[in-house]
Amino acid sequence: ASAARADDLPKLAEKPTYKVGFAQTESNNPWRLAQTQSMKDEAAKRGWQLVYTDANSSAAKQVADVDSMIAQHVDVIFLSPREEKPLIPAVMKAKKAGIPLFLIDRSVDANLAKPGRDYVSFIGSDFVEEGRRAGEWLIKATNGNAKIIELQGTSGSSPANDRKKGFMEAIAKTPGMQIVASQDGDFTRDKGRQVMETLLQAHPEATAVFAHNDEMVLGAITALEAAGRHPGKDITLVSIDGEKDGLQAIVDGKLGATVECNPRFGPGAFQAAADYAGGKKIPPIVVNKDHFYDKSNASESLAGSY
Ligand code: AHR
């Protein structure tokens, strides 16, 4: 990498091999583990050195992790920012240090840092669209009448912000779709269970759950069953990801549907870096295509899931 001009992104020289950093946000769910594995597999396949860090759910540690990658003079940084605002300094420091940075999976606040200007590109799912698809499915499944408990992902993260936005847009014109309670479950199964337990006590009238990921919906299913409810029968659930346990919950008739969010970033991310070194124009935003799982295809999709 060479130093960045104020009006330009850092360049990447063509080399037979690279030392690349991947700053992961946490490793507490199957989605994160699948993402990390995909990055490690691709590095091994290409014979590139991977400097891997795990921020253990701390945005401050993730900023420090990027600092350490800069100090180790990696050629490229792949960052999955835990939250939208606190990771802005990391993006800006990489630019200043002349290291091209790609955001993968999650994004940062677009008012404070822009792809194609402050970092090379964002590669990931359209989270707004994921929330919208979940909302549209729920409207159909409930004939437009539902008292919804929303389990939100990590507060301040782009998937939580955008999935909520898309879901709200989808249900906005259907007056029978009502969110009765909404709380942060931090994308984890246990937090999802705890939050569901509390919200269910306050809102026993709930007839639907929208969880921002499968792990939280699985926690919600445990809480519902403990409270004597029958997920999939007296309450309709929808979530996002498409992990193995989520698909199994669909097969078991407890989860209605899940919108895919593909965690396998390795091949696309590494190819984008190679293309960038080769002088190809990289689009500022590269959107992954996501599938949709319900009872029509969950069983056959189990084999390839994580
Ligand atoms: O950023 C993607 C989200 O983060 C996935 O939906 C979730 O499972 C993960 O923790």
Side-chain angles (χ1 to χ4, degrees):
S2 64
R5 297 200 310 267
D7 63 340
D8 205 0
L9 284 168
K11 301 283 182 285
L12 183 62
E14 271 193 292
K15 295 200 288 185
T17 184
Y18 295 94
K19 179 172 163 182
V20 303
F22 171 42
Q24 177 60 285
T25 174
E26 56 211 358
S27 301
N28 57 359
N29 74 39
W31 194 99
R32 290 284 145 206
L33 297 177
Q35 188 197 23
T36 298
Q37 197 55 53
S38 171
M39 296 296 279
K40 288 187 173 170
D41 288 350
E42 190 63 19
K45 195 172 148 199
R46 289 175 182 261
W48 293 12
Q49 186 188 341
L50 186 70
V51 176
Y52 170 75
T53 56
D54 177 351
N56 292 324
S57 308
S58 158
K61 176 168 185 316
Q62 200 171 27
V63 172
D65 289 343
V66 171
D67 276 345
S68 131
M69 288 175 185
I70 294 170
Q72 292 175 64
H73 302 292
V74 298
D75 296 305
V76 177
I77 294 173
F78 297 114
L79 169 65
S80 288
R82 177 169 160 83
E83 291 148 57
E84 290 205 87
K85 285 191 171 52
L87 268 300
I88 294 285
V91 171
M92 294 311 192
K93 277 187 197 171
K95 182 184 181 187
K96 204 166 166 223
I99 300 175
L101 180 141
F102 293 77
L103 290 182
I104 59 169
D105 139 51
R106 293 187 184 177
S107 198
V108 292
D109 189 327
N111 295 314
L112 301 173
K114 291 202 188 305
R117 187 190 74 184
D118 301 311
Y119 57 95
V120 182
S121 179
F122 165 78
I123 304 170
S125 292
D126 182 339
F127 294 138
V128 176
E129 184 60 18
E130 289 176 349
R132 192 176 296 130
R133 291 172 85 184
E136 282 163 3
W137 180 87
L138 195 59
I139 293 173
K140 278 200 198 125
T142 61
N143 293 319
N145 268 300
K147 294 194 179 356
I148 308 157
I149 288 181
E150 180 189 25
L151 301 176
Q152 295 185 43
T154 303
S155 169
S157 71
S158 62
N161 291 340
D162 291 352
R163 287 171 182 170
K164 182 179 187 69
K165 183 168 181 266
F167 187 82
M168 298 305 282
E169 280 172 14
I171 66 167
K173 291 200 182 91
T174 310
M177 301 297 285
Q178 209 194 326
I179 295 192
V180 293
S182 186
Q183 204 173 306
D184 182 356
D186 204 18
F187 282 128
T188 70
R189 194 180 293 208
D190 201 48
K191 198 79 189 290
R193 182 189 58 75
Q194 288 170 35
V195 169
M196 189 68 205
E197 209 174 277
T198 310
L199 295 183
L200 197 57
Q201 276 166 16
H203 296 280
E205 77 279 16
T207 59
V209 174
F210 166 46
H212 289 194
N213 79 345
D214 286 350
E215 282 296 289
M216 291 190 294
V217 99
L218 292 163
I221 287 171
T222 304
L224 284 160
E225 288 178 334
R229 299 287 300 263
H230 301 94
K233 296 198 171 70
D234 60 20
I235 186 156
T236 308
L237 295 91
V238 64
S239 68
I240 295 168
D241 271 357
E243 64 167 69
K244 187 172 259 152
D245 289 357
L247 298 182
Q248 187 60 51
I250 296 177
V251 173
D252 296 342
K254 296 178 180 184
L255 174 60
T258 185
V259 185
E260 188 196 28
C261 179
N262 192 337
R264 297 187 174 105
F265 280 87
F270 281 66
Q271 190 54 47
D275 287 347
Y276 188 63
K280 277 199 190 157
K281 180 116 188 64
I282 309 295
I285 297 178
V286 180
V287 180
N288 291 346
K289 280 204 171 52
D290 290 324
H291 297 285
F292 188 90
Y293 303 108
D294 60 13
K295 61 178 186 304
S296 71
N297 60 357
S299 175
E300 75 205 28
S301 309
L302 265 171
S305 68
Y306 53 93

